[in-house]
Amino acid sequence: MEWLKIPTSTELVRVRTDEIVGVVADGNYSDIVLYDGRRHKLTFKLHFFNEAFERLKNNPFVRIGRSLIINKQFVYKINLTEKICIMAGQPIKGEVRFEASRPALEALKKYLESDRSEDRFDWQKFEGDSDE
């Protein structure tokens, strides 16, 4: 178990990485989404979390496009038609849904289907792709 420590000028947020389902960009802020549905809005852009996750010993996080990082251990379903990634499984109660572009989800699907799913996922290959 590893901890993500996020210090700000007014608080310190400590989160177990295995409790994080995803991180969603919201302008100059990011929302950390936890398995129990809690969300923490923090004044950091997504690249802060991407860099922090890359320093983990066991990094289960993959960045999908410009606005989303997910924990690949919770991916239950990728629906290309609806452009959503559904996260489920223990300890998530119910499911958590994230929207993403079709090209980003297609790339994630191929990545998770491959035998190399432990390799690094390069989302930037698909950065210029449209949502259609």
Side-chain angles (χ1 to χ4, degrees), residues 1 4 11 31 42 54 59 67 69 72 111 131:
M1 169 182 58
L4 179 63
E11 64 185 354
D31 293 325
L42 297 165
E54 286 179 356
N59 181 8
S67 61
I69 298 173
K72 67 183 177 184
Y111 168 72
D131 285 345

Side-chain angles (χ1 to χ4, degrees), residues 26-94:
D26 182 15
N28 288 330
Y29 299 89
S30 294
D31 293 325
I32 297 177
V33 181
L34 302 180
Y35 74 94
D36 59 4
R38 287 181 295 157
R39 288 179 172 254
H40 295 280
K41 186 173 290 290
L42 297 165
T43 56
F44 291 98
K45 291 188 176 187
L46 207 59
H47 71 85
F48 167 85
F49 294 98
N50 201 50
E51 292 171 2
F53 292 145
E54 286 179 356
R55 290 191 296 269
L56 297 174
K57 292 177 188 166
N58 298 307
N59 181 8
F61 297 95
V62 292
R63 185 163 179 176
I64 304 175
R66 298 172 192 236
S67 61
L68 180 62
I69 298 173
I70 61 161
N71 185 333
K72 67 183 177 184
Q73 296 174 334
F74 292 121
V75 174
Y76 168 68
K77 182 178 182 180
I78 297 169
N79 187 312
L80 300 175
T81 305
E82 294 181 21
K83 300 181 195 171
I84 58 170
C85 181
I86 300 173
M87 315 295 275
Q90 290 295 332
I92 298 174
K93 293 175 177 37

